[in-house]
Every structure is written in structure tokens, then in C-alpha cells.
Amino acid sequence: MSLDLAIIRAAHERIRPFIKRTPVLTSDALDAAAGARLFFKCENLQAAGAFKSRGACNAVFSLTDEEAAHGVVTHSSGNHAAALARAAQLRGITAHIVMPAGAPASKVHNVGSYGGWITFCEPNLTAREAACAQVSARTGATIVHPFDDLRVAAGQGTATIELLEDAPDLDVILCPVGGGGLLCGTAVAAKALRPGIQAIGVEPALADDVAQSLRAGRRISIPTPATIADGLRTNCTGEKNFPIIQQYVDDVVTVSEEAIVAAMRELWEKLRIVIEPSAAVPYAAIREGKLPVAGRRIGIILTGGNVDLATVPWLKS
Amino acid sequence: MSLDLAIIRAAHERIRPFIKRTPVLTSDALDAAAGARLFFKCENLQAAGAFKSRGACNAVFSLTDEEAAHGVVTHSSGNHAAALARAAQLRGITAHIVMPAGAPASKVHNVGSYGGWITFCEPNLTAREAACAQVSARTGATIVHPFDDLRVAAGQGTATIELLEDAPDLDVILCPVGGGGLLCGTAVAAKALRPGIQAIGVEPALADDVAQSLRAGRRISIPTPATIADGLRTNCTGEKNFPIIQQYVDDVVTVSEEAIVAAMRELWEKLRIVIEPSAAVPYAAIREGKLPVAGRRIGIILTGGNVDLATVPWLKS
């Protein structure tokens, strides 16, 4: 399986009953500040609070009944885990979620609220992958990787179909980059629907493995990054994703931690929505002048809105 | 002039180019907690961050060219002031805004950002009304009262037309009550479009002048209330509004300050949007069990999202 617009369109049809059509917001004040027209696709308002519901639903509803009967399994403590648990609940099957011991109670609760079965493991990638493989071997559950799975990437690309329906004449489309599933889906859909568009990924400078990988021409792995953008703390982009990124993505730029927090606060204030730090990363690139934006029409995927409101980053208690 | 559906529909046509069609959000988690179906009309995502843009645009664009040439004037430091300044800017006329000396810098900035001309006065109602009358006498500007003006109330009612288009079969519609302009527009529109619907206003218990007035059968004035819901700190409902409220509104209930803060936080977390304390007041009534909601379909107007993010109420620094 590769990834193309037909596959992403099929994913869109498949998941439509299970996801929300999220609004695209604009702000005269933000446009004036940027000297550009900005179109924010609000996936923070998506079911389970993140675009991850798209990829998870596509993976789960792509399974045959035979496969589905054995459930699904993933290792993630974040938005993919909650989204997969929700998708499995909607199909009436079991989702096994491998989480590191010591994961925040709010994340455990979140997965539990969608009926996910949680397996705890040591907090490192080797232990997580081993636990995931064990659960799969024992139960027959299909592994649904958070990003290195083209069914997942196809689902993530459906946000771009909707964004380009609502704002057809974009010059640029921006999204954050963690493992690269969203970036693949976004770039493939955007380039097919609007060939002249630029597709650009944005990473925290502390988590710049994809920028490094593109320069090196091969996947570079980095130690788990300490960025505030907790959705983007991946070590290395996916094996399936990297060639797609090389082929379709125009550039990947990086932003500072300070710019991420400032962008997050500005979007809360001016758009009046709650977004998580990872979702602020593309707008941070505009704020930091990392992209030529003057006079252009720019689509931005706001990826999620799951934050702990007891610890707003600009209000350290 | 009275208020009826035809007038509100005409207002909707008049203001359509100048306002946003705001989304209606739902949340499975909030529905499960309430045991009801909740439909949140997101006027926090309205232009200038509040439903006030509807009434202000209707008032400004109802003026004859002759009237408009002299500008408009109001006394308000809040969302109506910013909305009126914006509406006047869109029509290319002057908005004079009378604000109390010592108004927060953010509110002064907000009005200024839309080109409003600010006149400062002593911080009491008598001084504000006197200053407003003086400006009007000197310039010929039309006074646009924040709530006791049926052009304003008609504009506010347009949110209900949209809400009932998106969620046609509501059993109840809820909105906060300050001066009563929104409540009048909401109740008149809702009852005309769906005769069986209940229209209920919600006030902070600290600002219960309308609940008192309905019991007394006459307008009761109270000292300026100290509620955290800064948009609802009115002394007395409007003279034009009160008979409409008596005729069309089924009930006005009150909520505690604690419930307002808890509701605000819960809506930020579960809907992933930023709302101001006043906007949380109707949901606070559901949380506090002030309304029979079980199994019903309830529309809630989330009135605005203008908050100072440096002082989130559950994060006192």
C-alpha cells in the first residue's frame, strides 16, 4: 500500500460517521499581525480532542470482521491512545493500550473513559514495543502504530480535504511534525488537490529529527526530546513515512520553545480556543519569521486541545 | 417598534456580511455528565469575541446615512463597546465610547484597536449616562444602549435563528442575563420558531435583579453586583426589555459564583474553547441542578470569550 488522494478520499468516506467536521477559524487581528491570511483548521475540536481520531478510525474501520474480532493494540500515552480506544469502542471491539508506568493520571483516565484496556510497562521505547508485540501475540490484536502506518496517515490526510473545501485557494499548508503521519497525509492530499501549494512541516528545535533526516537523506534518531510540545516527542520518523516526506514535503522548519508558548497563548487569546502546545508549533514558525508569509493564504492544522488546565505554561503556580 | 421574528430575521439579513456564522459544538462527555443533549452556540468565536457584534451591527447598519454621518455613542467598557467600535469602523463612521476612568488597559486597547474614540468619566452610572448624553448633544451621535434598545435586542436574537437551524428540535434554550437584550432576542426568536420550546435566562445569584423583578412584577434595581461574571454586572434590566421578558421568558434561575468558575473550567476542558465567566453561567445552572434537564435537548448560547489570560480564575497567582 502506498498513499495517494484516492486512498485518503476513501478514508474520508469510511470515517465520516465517526468524526466531526471541524470548523476553520480566521482572525482579523492575527491576519494583521502576520501580514497574511490565516485559516486555522480546528482539530482541537475533533472527537477526543485531536486529529488522531481520524487515523485511528480509519485503521479500526479498515479491519475485516475477522481481524477486528481480535481487537487492536498500540503503545502511546497520548492522543492516539485515546483516539484508538474511542474508535474501537465505536466498532465494539477491544483496544489494548500499552502505557509507560507513571503516565499522568489524566491520560490513564482519558483512555479508560473510552473503554480502553491498559497494560503498563517500563517507560522506554524497547519495553513499550515488546509489551505491544506480546499483547498482539497473545490476543491476535492488530497493532495500530501511532504514525508509521499508512492507514493512519491516510486518515490524518482527511483534515486537509476538508480544509481545502473550506479555503480552496491556499498558497501554503502547515502542520506540526512528530512521527510524520499527519505530515504525510497532509502533503499528499494537498499536493493532489492543489498542485502549486507548498506543504511545510514545523518541528520544535528540540525535536528536529525530521529536519535532520531530510538534510542527511536518511532517518535520524534522536534521544527523547524535552520539548513542551508533548505530542511531538518522537525519536524518529516512521520508516513508511520518510520516503513520502522526501517526495511531497517542501520544507521542515524548526521553532524555539519560547515561541511555542507565546504562540499558544496568542491563539488562546485571539481565536478563543484551547489548543495544546504541539498545536501551536506551526503558528510559532510564523511568529518567529521562519517562513515567508507576506500576502499569502496559509492553512494551519491545529492538531489538538488536550491540556491539563491546572498547569497553563505561562501561569506557573 | 416592538420585537418579533420578522424584525429579527430582517436584522439577520442586515448583519450577515459583518458577522460570523459561529459553530454549534457538542460533547459526548458533557452529555453523559448532564444526562441530556447539549448544543453550544459558540458566540465566543463571533467577531470581536462576543454575540454583542450582532446587536451592534444591527444598530449601526439600521441608521440612515444622515444619522450615521454623526456617528454613534455608548457607555460600556466591555464587549458592547468593542463590538460597537467595530461595527462603526465597518460602516466608516465614528464610535464614541464612554468608559470609566481606571478601566482595564486591555479593554481600552480593545476599543482602540477598532478605531473607537474613548471618553473617560467617573466610574459610576450617573457620570457615564451624563457623559454619553453630552457627547450625543455635542456631536449628534446616536446613542446605542448596550441592552435597552430593540435594534440591539433584535440583533442578539439572530444567534437563536442560527442555533435552531443547526439544532432544530431543542426542548429548552438557555442564555445568561445581564441587561436582558440577549434574553429578549433569544426568547422572541425561539418561541416564534418553535412554540413549545422553553426559554430560560440564568443570572449569577449575586446579580439577580431580573429574577427579583419577575417576582415583584416590576423592574428592581440592585447595587452593582460583585459577580465574577463581568458581563452581567448590570443594576437593572432595560425598560423596553422587561415587558418582553415578562411575556416570553419561562423562567430566570440563579447560580453561585463557585458553580460559574467550575462550569467555565469544565467547558474549557471538555469543549476546548476559551469562554469568559459570563458565558459559563447557563451551564453552571445545569451543573448545579437548577433546571430539569434529564433526557432533554438543550441549546446554550455561549456569549463571549474575552478573558485576561494572565488571571485564569482557578489559577490565582
Side-chain angles (χ1 to χ4, degrees):
Chain A
M1 181 193 172
S2 69
L3 193 61
D4 61 28
L5 181 61
I7 289 170
I8 299 172
R9 283 208 191 279
H12 203 203
E13 289 310 308
R14 187 176 295 118
I15 68 178
R16 203 188 295 275
F18 311 110
I19 61 159
K20 298 189 182 190
R21 172 85 188 209
T22 54
V24 174
L25 297 184
T26 60
S27 157
D28 291 342
L30 292 174
D31 284 359
R37 296 288 307 277
L38 309 180
F39 299 84
F40 295 93
K41 176 68 172 167
C42 291
E43 289 295 300
N44 61 315
L45 306 180
Q46 186 50 266
F51 75 97
K52 293 281 187 180
S53 280
R54 296 177 182 268
C57 282
N58 193 45
V60 164
F61 287 92
S62 294
L63 299 176
T64 64
D65 288 345
E66 166 76 35
E67 289 167 334
H70 297 282
V72 288
V73 58
T74 198
H75 58 87
S76 160
S77 57
N79 290 335
H80 174 68
L84 190 68
R86 175 180 173 274
Q89 189 176 54
L90 287 167
R91 189 153 180 186
I93 64 175
T94 303
H96 303 273
I97 310 293
V98 174
M99 292 178 101
S106 63
K107 298 195 167 181
V108 175
H109 172 80
N110 214 10
V111 168
S113 75
Y114 292 113
W117 293 27
I118 298 171
T119 303
F120 289 104
C121 70
E122 293 296 304
N124 62 67
L125 189 62
T126 311
R128 286 164 62 175
E129 289 180 342
C132 201
Q134 270 170 22
V135 171
S136 177
R138 179 164 50 77
T139 62
T142 301
I143 296 174
V144 181
H145 193 279
F147 53 83
D148 201 23
D149 180 318
L150 294 183
R151 296 164 305 187
V152 170
Q156 320 306 32
T158 62
T160 294
I161 292 179
E162 295 176 11
L163 173 55
L164 282 166
E165 281 172 2
D166 290 351
D169 48 357
L170 297 181
D171 302 309
V172 185
I173 191 163
L174 302 179
C175 73
V177 191
L182 175 64
L183 182 58
C184 285
T186 300
V188 169
K191 294 282 185 179
L193 289 165
R194 189 163 164 81
I197 202 169
Q198 277 195 299
I200 297 176
V202 188
E203 284 181 319
L206 292 182
D208 69 340
D209 64 290
V210 175
Q212 284 191 42
S213 300
L214 283 172
R215 281 197 299 272
R218 63 186 172 84
R219 292 161 62 227
I220 302 283
S221 190
I222 60 172
T224 300
T227 175
I228 189 173
D230 54 313
L232 310 178
R233 290 181 193 145
T234 38
N235 307 98
C236 186
T237 185
E239 203 175 340
K240 302 185 181 72
N241 298 336
F242 188 58
I244 298 174
I245 294 173
Q246 286 181 303
Q247 185 178 349
Y248 290 97
V249 173
D250 292 287
D251 201 2
V252 171
V253 301
T254 63
V255 293
S256 70
E257 297 293 298
E258 295 69 28
I260 296 170
V261 173
M264 180 179 168
R265 180 174 180 164
E266 194 171 351
L267 294 179
W268 284 38
E269 188 177 314
K270 296 298 203 301
L271 292 181
R272 287 117 181 158
I273 56 173
V274 171
I275 57 165
E276 57 191 73
S278 302
V281 163
Y283 180 65
I286 294 176
R287 265 190 133 256
E288 271 199 327
K290 295 299 183 77
L291 294 166
V293 298
R296 302 172 89 191
R297 297 169 63 87
I298 300 173
I300 297 170
I301 300 189
L302 294 179
T303 44
N306 291 320
V307 291
D308 180 353
L309 289 174
T311 57
V312 178
W314 57 87
L315 290 171
K316 293 288 181 198
S317 56
Chain B
M1 180 194 174
S2 68
L3 193 60
D4 61 28
L5 181 61
I7 289 171
I8 298 172
R9 283 208 190 281
H12 203 203
E13 289 309 307
R14 187 176 294 118
I15 68 178
R16 202 187 295 274
F18 311 111
I19 60 158
K20 298 189 181 188
R21 173 85 188 209
T22 53
V24 174
L25 297 184
T26 59
S27 158
D28 291 342
L30 292 174
D31 284 359
R37 296 289 308 277
L38 309 180
F39 299 84
F40 295 93
K41 175 67 171 167
C42 292
E43 289 295 300
N44 61 315
L45 306 180
Q46 186 50 266
F51 74 96
K52 294 282 188 180
S53 279
R54 296 177 182 268
C57 282
N58 192 46
V60 165
F61 287 93
S62 294
L63 299 176
T64 65
D65 287 346
E66 166 75 35
E67 289 167 332
H70 298 281
V72 288
V73 57
T74 198
H75 59 86
S76 160
S77 58
N79 290 335
H80 174 67
L84 190 68
R86 175 180 174 274
Q89 189 176 55
L90 287 168
R91 187 152 182 186
I93 64 175
T94 303
H96 303 273
I97 310 293
V98 175
M99 291 178 100
S106 63
K107 297 196 167 182
V108 176
H109 172 80
N110 213 9
V111 168
S113 75
Y114 292 113
W117 293 29
I118 298 170
T119 304
F120 288 104
C121 70
E122 293 296 305
N124 62 68
L125 189 62
T126 311
R128 285 163 64 174
E129 288 181 342
C132 200
Q134 271 170 23
V135 171
S136 177
R138 179 164 52 76
T139 61
T142 302
I143 296 175
V144 181
H145 193 278
F147 53 84
D148 200 24
D149 180 318
L150 293 184
R151 296 165 304 187
V152 170
Q156 319 306 31
T158 62
T160 294
I161 292 178
E162 296 176 11
L163 173 54
L164 282 166
E165 282 172 2
D166 290 351
D169 48 357
L170 297 181
D171 301 309
V172 185
I173 191 164
L174 302 179
C175 73
V177 191
L182 175 64
L183 182 58
C184 285
T186 300
V188 169
K191 294 282 184 180
L193 289 164
R194 189 164 165 80
I197 201 169
Q198 277 195 300
I200 297 176
V202 187
E203 284 181 319
L206 291 182
D208 67 341
D209 64 291
V210 176
Q212 285 191 41
S213 300
L214 283 172
R215 281 197 299 273
R218 62 186 172 82
R219 292 161 64 226
I220 302 283
S221 190
I222 61 172
T224 300
T227 174
I228 189 173
D230 54 314
L232 309 178
R233 289 181 193 146
T234 37
N235 307 99
C236 186
T237 186
E239 203 174 342
K240 301 185 181 71
N241 298 336
F242 188 57
I244 298 174
I245 294 173
Q246 286 182 302
Q247 184 178 350
Y248 289 96
V249 173
D250 293 286
D251 201 1
V252 171
V253 302
T254 63
V255 293
S256 71
E257 296 293 298
E258 295 69 27
I260 296 170
V261 173
M264 180 179 169
R265 181 175 179 163
E266 194 171 351
L267 294 179
W268 284 38
E269 188 177 314
K270 295 298 202 302
L271 293 181
R272 288 119 181 156
I273 56 174
V274 171
I275 58 164
E276 57 191 73
S278 303
V281 164
Y283 180 66
I286 294 176
R287 267 191 132 254
E288 271 199 325
K290 295 298 184 77
L291 294 167
V293 298
R296 302 172 90 190
R297 297 169 64 88
I298 300 173
I300 296 169
I301 301 190
L302 293 179
T303 43
N306 291 320
V307 291
D308 180 352
L309 288 174
T311 56
V312 179
W314 58 87
L315 290 171
K316 294 289 182 197
S317 55

